[in-house]
């Protein structure tokens, strides 16, 4: 899958989606150019996770289209979307509790830019814990493992759903540094859902804000980061 700068990594056009017959997302148009990053903000329950689940194929698409690097993917099953280059770090992390750290990663591994050694370089803590079971890990270690497991599939587009949720400040800082590195140095295309608007806006290029399943704001992360009034209005009013 090609991924030159300037191309669109992901395009959603007129997307309506939800769970079974229940519709949550309305008329979403989203474009993410390759090697850029998008923050998705909005309070609890507005549809951020549903949006990511729709991109990945875990939710039900009712109308509209989804393209990955120009290829229509909306009718493909989850594993095909993964094979085509979408890496997904779900809000629930979904670590296998009775597999070791290393086994959790190796079942997902694909040859590419992120062999196990590079993931361990990115997260030395995972190397130290490689023989521990999934259920023996702290929340921060689980989150590192969830990110490592997505990277080891060699994604072209990485979806991160609230990766900082519930973590200690020192771990939040470390994960933010890693996310920044993936965006700025590895040129990975990243979509980041995050409750902390400031953290998300600091590392991303573009931002959308959702309210009740709709996009209510879109712009440059930098602009919104510095427009305190607008940010407060969007986040508190929504
Ligand atoms: N599996 C599901 N089945 C039915 N409704 C769901 C399901 N998951 C989430 N919802 C509903 O979809 C809406 C959006 O939820 P969600 O996408 O999780 O929001 P967010 O991630 O922004 O907090 C909420 O009203 C939530 O109750
Ligand atoms: Mg969510």
């Amino acid at each position: 899958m090609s991924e030159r700068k300037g191309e669109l990594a992901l395009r959603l056009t007129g997307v309506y989606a939800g769970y079974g017959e229940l519709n949550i997302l309305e008329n979403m148009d989203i474009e993410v150019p390759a090697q850029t990053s998008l923050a998705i903000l909005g309070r609890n329950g507005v549809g951020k996770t549903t949006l990511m689940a729709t991109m990945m194929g875990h939710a039900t698409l009712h109308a509209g289209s989804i393209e990955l690097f120009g290829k229509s993917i909306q009718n493909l099953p989850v594993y095909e979307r993964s094979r085509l280059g979408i890496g997904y770090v779900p809000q629930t992390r979904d670590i296998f509790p009775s597999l070791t750290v290393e086994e959790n990663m190796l079942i997902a591994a694909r040859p590419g830019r992120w062999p196990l050694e590079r993931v361990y370089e990115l997260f030395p803590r995972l190397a130290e814990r490689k023989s521990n079971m999934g259920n023996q890990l702290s929340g921060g270690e689980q989150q590192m493992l969830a990110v490592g497991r997505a990277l080891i599939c060699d994604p072209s587009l990485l979806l991160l759903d609230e990766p900082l949720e519930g973590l200690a400040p020192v771990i939040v800082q470390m994960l933010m540094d890693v996310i920044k590195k993936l965006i700025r140095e590895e040129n990975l295309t990243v979509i980041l859902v995050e409750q902390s608007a400031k953290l998300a806006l600091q590392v991303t290029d573009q931002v959308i804000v959702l309210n009740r399943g709709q996009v209510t704001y879109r712009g440059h992360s930098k602009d919104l980061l510095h427009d305190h009034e607008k940010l407060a209005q969007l986040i508190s009013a929504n």
Side-chain angles (χ1 to χ4, degrees):
M1 188 123 302
S2 71
E3 47 184 281
R4 274 161 307 178
K5 203 162 184 159
E7 263 186 310
L8 277 187
L10 188 74
R11 170 187 264 160
L12 272 65
T13 312
V15 162
Y16 289 73
Y19 303 95
E21 295 196 346
L22 175 68
N23 196 71
I24 304 286
L25 304 179
E26 288 181 39
N27 200 19
M28 295 234 158
D29 294 324
I30 297 173
E31 293 188 350
V32 187
Q35 302 187 18
T36 72
S37 49
L38 173 74
I40 302 178
L41 305 180
R43 72 162 161 69
N44 267 336
V46 296
K48 303 180 300 296
T49 293
T50 305
L51 178 53
M52 289 216 163
T54 301
M55 294 168 182
M56 198 63 215
H58 288 296
T60 313
L61 187 76
H62 294 138
S65 65
I66 307 175
E67 286 171 34
L68 183 70
F69 293 100
K71 181 184 165 64
S72 183
I73 61 163
Q74 72 263 13
N75 296 319
L76 299 180
V78 174
Y79 74 91
E80 281 285 346
R81 298 185 200 202
S82 160
R83 199 180 57 81
L84 287 172
I86 308 185
Y88 184 37
V89 178
Q91 193 167 4
T92 45
R93 294 171 192 152
D94 299 355
I95 300 305
F96 295 110
S98 55
L99 296 185
T100 66
V101 165
E102 192 150 302
E103 286 164 349
N104 261 282
M105 287 198 280
L106 288 179
I107 53 164
R110 262 199 298 263
R113 286 164 298 182
W114 291 99
L116 192 57
E117 308 79 69
R118 273 199 85 207
V119 174
Y120 283 153
E121 269 170 39
L122 195 65
F123 295 115
R125 185 72 187 146
L126 289 183
E128 292 166 23
R129 301 282 269 156
K130 68 180 175 188
S131 304
N132 286 102
M133 296 297 184
N135 62 10
Q136 297 172 318
L137 304 178
S138 69
E141 290 164 346
Q142 283 182 30
Q143 193 63 65
M144 292 176 220
L145 178 53
V147 175
R149 194 177 53 183
L151 288 175
I152 211 165
C153 294
D154 195 24
S156 308
L157 167 67
L158 184 63
L159 311 179
L160 298 167
D161 195 349
E162 299 209 25
L164 312 176
E165 193 183 13
L167 302 180
V170 54
I171 308 288
V172 166
Q173 190 53 55
M174 187 277 276
L175 272 167
M176 282 308 291
D177 289 345
V178 166
I179 293 168
K180 210 181 294 178
K181 187 170 174 182
L182 294 175
I183 292 172
R184 301 284 169 234
E185 293 173 31
E186 301 292 335
N187 295 319
L188 202 56
T189 312
V190 172
I191 302 182
L192 173 64
V193 168
E194 188 41 57
Q195 277 299 322
S196 167
K198 285 203 173 131
L199 286 180
L201 292 171
Q202 278 166 11
V203 297
T204 51
D205 302 308
Q206 307 280 335
V207 54
I208 60 173
V209 181
L210 305 190
N211 189 18
R212 295 190 189 170
Q214 298 185 328
V215 177
T216 53
Y217 176 91
R218 61 179 88 222
H220 294 287
S221 302
K222 221 179 333 121
D223 296 343
L224 189 54
L225 182 63
H226 296 119
D227 191 342
H228 302 284
E229 213 172 301
K230 184 82 191 163
L231 183 58
Q233 176 206 330
L234 281 169
I235 302 302
S236 61
N238 95 52

